[in-house]
Structure formats: C-alpha cells, structure tokens
Amino acid sequence: DPVGIQLYSQVTRKVYLQLVYRRGGAIYYDEEDPFGGTRNQLIFGLDYQPTDKFTSSLSLRYTDFYRESDGKEEYDYLIVRSRNTFQVNKYLFIRGIGEYNTYRRRLVLDFLASFTYIPGTVLHVGYGAAFDRMRWENREYVEDDRFLERKRGFFFKISYLWRL
C-alpha cells in the first residue's frame, strides 16, 4: 500500500519550505522483462523571494527502486534543480534553470527571456544546453572528469493577439 507525507510551510515572508516523502509499489519498465518493486521518493524544496522582482527555488529529488522478488536495489538517483527568475519590469522577465541528474550524470542549463506587450502578444527567446561527463574516444564514449557540451538549442517564439 502506498504511503506518503507532505509538509509545506512559509517560514518567513520570504522563505518557503517543502518536504515530501512517498513509498509505494512501482513498475520497472524493462523492454524485455518489466517487473514490480517498491519505490521511495524524497523531495525537498526551498523557495526564496527576497524582493517582488526576484525568486530563487532549489529542489532536491531523491528516488530509489527495489525489486519485489529479491529486494535488490535496481537504481537510486538524485536530481538537483535551481530555478531563478527576475522580473525586470511588468513586460520583461528573465529565467535561468540549472539541473543535475546523478543517474544520467547530466547537467542541463536553460535560459529564457520573455516580453509580454499585452496579454496574448508575447515574444520568447531561449537557449538550452546539456552537458555530461563523457567524451568520444576510439569510436566509443568514455567517462571524463569534466563536463562537455553534448546538446544545445536556441528558440524564438512570437505570438500576436488579434481581435475583431
């Protein structure tokens, strides 16, 4: 039977905390032989808003999975995520997100600038990059001790509200 607990508190006018724990049955989706087990999940969140224009959030999410048949641990990992938003004025905000996944050993960085002229008329410009600790050597990937950029992307989106 699944169990869980969630605590959320506004510690001060500027600081919010969140703590979540869940334990329950889950399925490991192996292509050849999926199997059941037990998953534990622990989430910690901290939101800090020192001014009306700036918000910073930090979250830690830990998950593990144990086989039902023999109790063997199949995986465990931690995801650390930081999201920072700055509202420059009523029209423009800038956001940066950084996330590290210990299972995939990957760091992802995303940046977004958004300009809202009127509701429905918006311009978005963004950039994202993924880094991991692998390098290409002798026709195969090998581990490396520093992060190397693996993927990147840039996007531009504009929408215009037209009324009759």
Side-chain angles (χ1 to χ4, degrees):
D1 292 329
V3 296
I5 186 168
Q6 179 171 337
L7 303 169
Y8 187 79
S9 177
Q10 180 177 357
V11 179
T12 68
R13 217 177 105 248
K14 300 176 181 184
V15 177
Y16 301 82
L17 290 175
Q18 176 186 25
L19 185 62
V20 177
Y21 174 74
R22 294 184 189 111
R23 178 182 176 90
I27 297 173
Y28 185 87
Y29 291 98
D30 185 306
E31 286 184 21
E32 296 166 14
D33 186 26
F35 54 88
T38 302
R39 179 183 70 184
N40 292 292
Q41 188 174 52
L42 180 64
I43 301 168
F44 170 78
L46 171 67
D47 292 344
Y48 177 58
Q49 188 174 10
T51 70
D52 290 340
K53 294 182 177 261
F54 181 74
T55 304
S56 182
S57 300
L58 175 67
S59 68
L60 306 164
R61 179 181 297 255
Y62 173 81
T63 304
D64 63 23
F65 182 86
Y66 293 87
R67 287 177 181 255
E68 189 175 51
S69 60
D70 58 7
K72 178 184 170 221
E73 183 180 70
E74 195 62 36
Y75 62 78
D76 72 331
Y77 64 90
L78 175 69
I79 297 176
V80 179
R81 186 172 204 256
S82 174
R83 176 183 170 145
N84 300 284
T85 306
F86 182 64
Q87 187 78 40
V88 178
N89 55 41
K90 70 179 187 175
Y91 302 108
L92 176 66
F93 82 83
I94 301 167
R95 182 179 68 208
I97 298 175
E99 180 177 287
Y100 182 69
N101 183 320
T102 62
Y103 184 75
R104 298 188 191 280
R105 296 175 44 117
R106 176 170 283 180
L107 174 66
V108 176
L109 300 174
D110 292 319
F111 301 97
L112 173 71
S114 181
F115 180 80
T116 305
Y117 181 63
I118 58 172
T121 300
V122 184
L123 168 71
H124 298 288
V125 177
Y127 177 79
F131 304 84
D132 56 29
R133 293 182 173 177
M134 302 291 277
R135 72 175 189 280
W136 186 253
E137 183 178 288
N138 298 327
R139 296 184 160 187
E140 65 180 355
Y141 284 107
V142 295
E143 290 198 27
D144 199 272
D145 55 344
R146 62 187 180 103
F147 284 106
L148 300 170
E149 188 176 45
R150 184 74 51 219
K151 295 179 182 178
R152 68 179 140 198
F154 174 80
F155 76 90
F156 175 83
K157 177 182 175 184
I158 190 167
S159 66
Y160 177 76
L161 178 61
W162 183 56
R163 294 184 187 176
L164 295 175

